[in-house]
Each structure stands twice: as C-alpha cells, then as structure tokens.
C-alpha cells in the first residue's frame, strides 16, 4: 500500500514469509504444495503454512479496512461521524487480528520459544487435528423395531 498506514506492518508479513522460506529451505508455494501433498509428514510445516495463510488473510482484511477508512475520512468535514468511527474500530480490530497471527507464526518458527519444548509441547501435540472425528458423528445403528431414544428436543427447541 502506498498510503503509509501499514507499509511497515506489511513488511511483517514479508519478513515472516522470508523466515519461513529460510527455515524450510523452499519458497511458500513449494511449501504449501508439500504440506497439501503430505500434511502429516511435517506437523511443524503444516502448522506454519496454516497460520501463514491466516496471517495473509488478516493482512488482506486490514488493507481493505484501511482503504475504507481512508475513503470515508476524505469525505468527512472536521468532525468524524459514527460510521467512520466504526470503520476506525474495524481497522483496530483488524490490526489486532493480524498482529496476533503474526505472533503465532513467530512462535511456531522459534524452536526455543516458551512452550515449544517439554510437557507443553506434548500437550499441544495432542491438540493437533486427527484423521477422523473425535466423537461419533452419526447415529448409532439400532435393531429394527427398537424405538429411538427420547432426546428432549422437538423442532429444534428444547422441551420444557
């Protein structure tokens, strides 16, 4: 962007992309393709690619929010109206989301970061996505003639 608001912030995305590419010795497109082909082969790479994608998405949302705010500010008299203030709040929220995702990417790239070793790492590993659902997602098979259990729900509402 040439507006100056987030030029430095956009550099964060670029710098983190460079760090990812250096860490995995391939460019982002190659890394994304490798993760898509074998997501379980390198869980660290899979996590980094996922969060990098979320970071890029958050930066895009921020860019649009900033553009909307700048356009609104250009039409404002000396006082800012409520819809323009809402746009400013949206920019702040977008900055927070982008910065949070950038922090996660930095954490994922730092093998010595707190929580990356020992018991915390083992606990995190248990939270990684599984290949199948953690709970049964379909109704259990019932023998013919066995009535369905009463569920307490009718027409999408709890029975009172």
């Amino acid at each position: 962007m040439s507006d100056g608001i987030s030029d430095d912030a956009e550099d964060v995305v670029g710098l983190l992309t460079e760090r990812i590419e250096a860490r995995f010795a391939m460019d982002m497109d190659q890394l994304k393709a490798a993760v898509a082909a074998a997501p379980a082969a390198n869980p660290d790479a899979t996590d980094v690619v996922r969060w990098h994608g979320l970071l890029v998405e958050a930066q895009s949302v921020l860019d649009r929010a900033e553009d909307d705010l700048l356009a609104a500010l250009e039409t404002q008299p000396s006082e800012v109206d409520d819809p323009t203030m809402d746009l400013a709040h949206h920019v702040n929220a977008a900055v927070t989301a982008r910065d949070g995702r950038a922090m996660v990417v930095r954490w994922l790239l730092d093998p010595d970061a707190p929580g990356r070793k020992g018991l915390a790492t083992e606990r995190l590993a248990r939270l990684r996505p599984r290949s199948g659902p953690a709970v049964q997602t379909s109704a259990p098979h019932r023998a013919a003639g066995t009535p369905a259990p009463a569920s307490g729900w009718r027409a999408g509402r709890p029975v009172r």
Side-chain angles (χ1 to χ4, degrees):
M1 280 177 85
S2 60
D3 61 12
I5 290 180
S6 67
D7 288 342
D8 293 336
E10 284 183 44
D11 290 341
V12 169
V13 175
L15 290 171
L16 287 173
T17 301
E18 289 174 13
R19 286 183 57 195
I20 292 167
E21 291 173 344
R23 165 107 189 288
F24 294 98
M26 58 180 75
D27 69 32
M28 280 306 298
D29 290 335
Q30 291 171 322
L31 185 59
K32 287 177 190 176
V35 164
N42 186 334
D44 289 340
T46 301
D47 289 344
V48 166
V49 166
R50 176 177 173 259
W51 281 96
H52 181 268
L54 293 171
L55 172 62
V56 169
E57 176 185 305
Q59 182 63 52
S60 176
V61 168
L62 175 57
D63 291 345
R64 284 191 306 274
E66 287 176 338
D67 290 345
D68 292 347
L69 177 59
L70 287 174
L73 288 172
E74 289 173 0
T75 65
Q76 293 294 305
S78 60
E79 290 186 26
V80 176
D81 62 11
D82 287 341
T84 304
M85 282 304 295
D86 288 342
L87 291 172
H89 292 302
H90 185 69
V91 168
N92 285 337
V95 167
T96 300
R98 191 270 325 275
D99 290 351
R101 291 172 181 183
M103 287 173 47
V104 172
V105 171
R106 281 189 202 103
W107 182 82
L108 289 169
L109 291 171
D110 183 358
D112 297 321
R116 295 282 296 164
K117 294 182 179 178
L119 184 58
T121 303
E122 290 174 24
R123 287 181 179 159
L124 264 177
R126 287 187 225 137
L127 297 176
R128 288 216 163 103
R130 296 180 177 101
S131 59
V135 295
Q136 185 172 348
T137 58
S138 59
H141 177 72
R142 289 190 312 272
T146 305
S151 67
W153 286 85
R154 290 195 186 132
R157 296 185 187 159
V159 175
R160 296 179 191 218

